[in-house]
Amino acid sequence: MYNNIKNIIVIASGKGGVGKSTISANIAITIANIGFKVGLLDADIYGPSIPLMFDIENKKISIIEIDNNKKIKPVIKYGIKILSIGFFSDLNQAIVWRGPMASKAIKQFIHESYWEKLDFLIVDLPPGTGDIHLSIIHELNITGAILVSTPQIISLIDVRKSIAMFNNKHINVPIIGIIENMSFFSTKKKKYYIFGKKGVKKMAKYLNIKFLGEIPIIESIRKYSDFGYPIVLKNNKEISSIFNRIANKIINYTYINNL
């Protein structure tokens, strides 16, 4: 697998509900639109949302044979190769697994999938710092991690735990940077900092982590995610420019570190 994938980027958050999967989907599409071959692994075993965001929640996985070995073939949508536990379960079915079973499923995704050649594999991690995170970190040669948080203190407390995990000497995954989501709500007259003002940017500066950008609260981001059509596909200049800046920072990081 590793010979076919140049860069593996994990996207994490300490807390659920901060928009990590929405950001993962839009970053994957933006990097693909720049001209790279991109895969997206939905590693959130208990709450897979990537199939819904790509309008493929009813798709079924096919199995192909490569060199006498059976492999899982990712679903392709909007030019992205996608794999998710959501393809193996009913939309209304709860996945009630203990940690070892969830970790086993992730290992199967990693070792028994046929991604072909990719420039980037984006891995959408579940919230927290549990067994799935450790399984992925130990099984994959990760290029770097991106953190996502909203600005309020309760989210910042949790994301710092994720930062500590990646910085742990036994894990030691490089942190590419951090993104602030739901930064503010803007009208023609004023910006409203609903969840606090520039909390992520301040924390990034304090911890000496690169700040990758801020994403405002915009109804269309939520709307098109629910419709299975990530917002960057709409060519909205404001939103596309934000994700383009973030994507280019990621690409530049991998270029420099691959020299």
Side-chain angles (χ1 to χ4, degrees), residues 6-35:
K6 293 180 182 177
N7 300 287
I8 300 173
I9 309 294
V10 296
I11 299 185
S13 66
K15 187 175 182 63
V18 298
K20 173 183 51 59
S21 295
T22 300
I23 288 174
S24 297
N26 283 286
I27 284 176
I29 291 173
T30 302
I31 292 176
N33 286 344
I34 291 171

Side-chain angles (χ1 to χ4, degrees), residues 154-201:
I154 195 167
S155 290
L156 298 176
I157 290 170
D158 288 341
V159 81
R160 287 181 74 155
K161 295 174 184 176
S162 290
I163 292 168
M165 177 186 71
F166 290 121
N167 285 336
N168 183 288
K169 65 180 181 180
H170 299 296
I171 294 174
N172 196 28
V173 171
I175 295 176
I176 297 172
I178 187 164
I179 296 167
E180 182 177 275
N181 195 27
M182 306 182 204
S183 295
F184 56 84
F185 174 75
S186 185
T187 66
K188 291 181 179 180
K189 294 182 178 180
K190 187 178 179 180
K191 283 184 179 180
Y192 295 89
Y193 293 90
I194 298 171
F195 297 115
K197 189 172 182 179
K198 300 188 182 300
V200 175
K201 192 171 188 177

Side-chain angles (χ1 to χ4, degrees), residues 4 11 26 28 38 46 51 81 86 91 93 109 111 115 117 124 149-150 165 186 189-190 192 220 246 248:
N4 293 335
I11 299 185
N26 283 286
V38 180
Y46 302 109
K81 293 177 180 177
L91 190 62
Q93 178 186 353
F109 279 175
H111 297 295
W115 294 98
K117 291 185 177 181
D124 179 24
S149 180
T150 46
M165 177 186 71
S186 185
K189 294 182 178 180
K190 187 178 179 180
Y192 295 89
S220 56
I246 292 171
N248 278 295

Side-chain angles (χ1 to χ4, degrees), residues 59-65 70-76 82-83 87-88 112-114:
K59 289 284 185 181
K60 298 299 179 184
I61 287 294
S62 57
I63 305 296
I64 59 174
E65 194 165 297
K70 290 184 178 179
K71 298 286 185 179
I72 303 167
K73 186 178 180 182
V75 172
I76 300 175
I82 303 164
L83 204 53
F87 298 143
F88 297 87
E112 298 176 23
S113 301
Y114 184 60

